[in-house]
Amino acid sequence: MTQSLSSAQEILQNLSSGRRSAVTQMEETLARIEAVNPDVNAIVALRDRDDLMAEASAADLATTRGALHGLPMAIKDLTNVAGVPSTQGSPLLADFIPQHDDLMVARLRAAGALIIGKTNTPEFGLGSHTFNPVYGACANPYDRTRSCGGSSGGAAVALATGMVALADGSDMMGSLRNPAGWCNVYGFRPSWGRVPNEPRGDVFLHTLSTNGPMARSPEDLALLLNVMSGADPRQPLSTTAALNEPVSLQPAIGPMRIGWLADWGGSYPMEPGILDTCEAALDVLRELGHQVELLTPPFAAERIWQSWTTLRSFAVSAGLRVFLEQKQQLKDSAQWELERGLALTGREIQAASDLRSDWQRVAARLFTQYDALVLPTAQCWPFEIDLDHPGVINGTDMDCYHRWMEVVAPVSLLGLPCLAAPAGFGENGLPMGLQIFAAHGQDQDLLALGQAYHTVTRWPERRPPT
């Protein structure tokens, strides 16, 4: 097996046993990036080679070794890494170099990871299409004329092309799920609170986004999730005891009852071939002994959307308000979210929260009948890279920049754990994925289900064209 196909578990076992040195691993990683990255633009702000080789050499001499010791990783460019440009894809932050690591990065370093640079992301992470005026667009490795998704697009592409073995991402509106589906890798949105967000600013009101792992197998997802997880006293949602227990994929999960929500009874327009591809993947779950049933929509999609768009604008505008005086320098979608969010009334925000609570009560009942639910990771195939976003899906006009991503909102609104798993390829040769989600706290069962599925399908081994 070539280095670019090796799992993170394999690489780390070789590093731990001495069969491979951190220096060799770094050399091969940088060589792979040099060969592949110019065509896809996934790795940005790559650090100085001599500095990286010195850190790898020091790792080989270290006596204390964490779970990720000697493994090169690149961090999504929405997260601060000390000494590395942290632009968030915005010209307003093009020269910003943080002096301190964010909490998640500090945990990765403590586990022995070697931070080599950043992965590309949309401006401020808005829109599931990775392009920005600082670094440019990141291409889909299976068709470089098309989008790789986002906002963790650079992370997904770096994994799919073998430039890294593990990657971090973040997910508000499918940012760990959509690019995983479009790049034929795995992404995992953990239960709210398992991976604490950066403890700055408000820590109570805006509970829509979470960090999470990406990898080429659920087993590797679990490895990284355990490093990222754990309570932080500054984040009240991270203190639930059950969410601080390490994830283990053994023993394997028993038969599950799974509900297939398809296009939510026609509420989510889908391009041709997506549901067929996902249903073929569901047959694999049936062959593994799980019961899969088509469900009628359990809740009105428009009510979920109404709640989601209000609470999202409320949260996004809170983060962007520091740029209010430079608003005209933000991209259109950021300006739209900022203006919309700042115009919301307390009554409108409360009404949106009431709708979310209604959906939570329905979902809680549904999860007493089903162990997991399934949706596609996207409503369209990867679109042309020079588009900002799709305006029409299968004849239905999209009324805002993120309506085409509506299929991810039921999970995001409730902060449910969700595995994005490769579903295979359409007749167009492009990848698609499944969202497999469950009740809050069921992260381990989802990853165990995913690992059994991966053992049979091994989709990430279908490599992008050279």
Side-chain angles (χ1 to χ4, degrees), residues 325-344:
E325 293 183 1
Q326 297 97 0
K327 183 178 68 173
Q328 298 306 318
Q329 299 179 54
L330 303 175
K331 71 176 184 178
D332 291 346
S333 55
Q335 292 185 42
W336 182 81
E337 295 281 18
L338 179 59
E339 293 171 355
R340 190 171 186 271
L342 293 179
L344 289 169

Side-chain angles (χ1 to χ4, degrees), residues 85 182 210 250 282 320:
W182 278 3
T210 181
Q250 298 297 328
L282 292 174
L320 292 177

